[in-house]
Amino acid sequence: MTRASARTTLADVARAAGVDVSTASRVLRGEATQRIREDTKTRIHQSAETLRYRPNSMARALRTATTSTLGIIVPQLDNPVFSAAIRGAESAASAEGYSLLISHRAPGQTASTITNLSQINRVDGLLVASLDDD
């Protein structure tokens, strides 16, 4: 059995809790607008914990068209000012449940290069720090 095939799925959690996959999904996402009995919610959460379920971030990204990733582009990684900015951005991103993608902007890269970088990496937001007027 490979590592990928051993991963617990949402369907496994739903089956263990005796509910439909959509019900398990709504409960584990914390949707407050759904009317689901407390004992059902408890069963779903217990099943998820017992099975060590972790949401598949790639599947969620496809469904929601978001990545929970932010990007920061800096001109110098060894500059203390930019290092401090990176640490602050990472701390703030993490507090909101985001990962931070750090990139170095080489001299001569154009704005279109930065746009392409953000689209290729599928970040939800991009912070660009620059020493140049452009």
Side-chain angles (χ1 to χ4, degrees):
M1 182 181 294
T2 65
R3 189 171 235 271
S5 64
R7 183 180 177 114
T8 300
T9 66
L10 185 59
D12 296 330
V13 173
R15 190 172 20 265
V19 298
D20 190 73
V21 174
S22 64
T23 302
S25 176
R26 288 193 309 269
V27 168
L28 294 175
R29 280 196 321 258
E31 285 188 14
T33 60
Q34 301 298 319
R35 294 181 189 203
I36 300 170
R37 294 185 345 205
E38 286 304 315
D39 63 320
T40 301
K41 290 179 187 179
T42 301
R43 258 193 350 267
I44 292 168
H45 284 292
Q46 286 174 342
S47 295
E49 185 176 328
T50 300
L51 295 172
R52 297 184 181 151
Y53 171 74
R54 298 292 174 263
N56 184 324
S57 58
M58 289 175 53
R60 180 176 289 167
L62 287 172
R63 187 184 79 249
T64 63
T66 62
T67 61
S68 296
T69 302
L70 302 174
I72 184 169
I73 300 175
V74 295
Q76 298 173 335
L77 293 172
D78 58 350
N79 183 316
V81 171
F82 296 120
S83 296
I86 291 169
R87 284 192 304 276
E90 195 284 325
S91 178
S94 179
E96 295 298 323
Y98 284 83
S99 298
L100 185 67
L101 174 68
I102 303 166
S103 181
H104 172 256
R105 180 181 178 200
Q109 280 184 313
T110 63
S112 64
T113 303
I114 294 170
T115 302
N116 289 338
L117 177 66
S118 68
Q119 292 172 348
I120 291 168
N121 288 310
R122 305 265 313 152
V123 293
D124 296 336
L126 185 61
L127 176 63
V128 180
S130 176
L131 293 173
D132 301 327
D133 291 336
D134 65 349

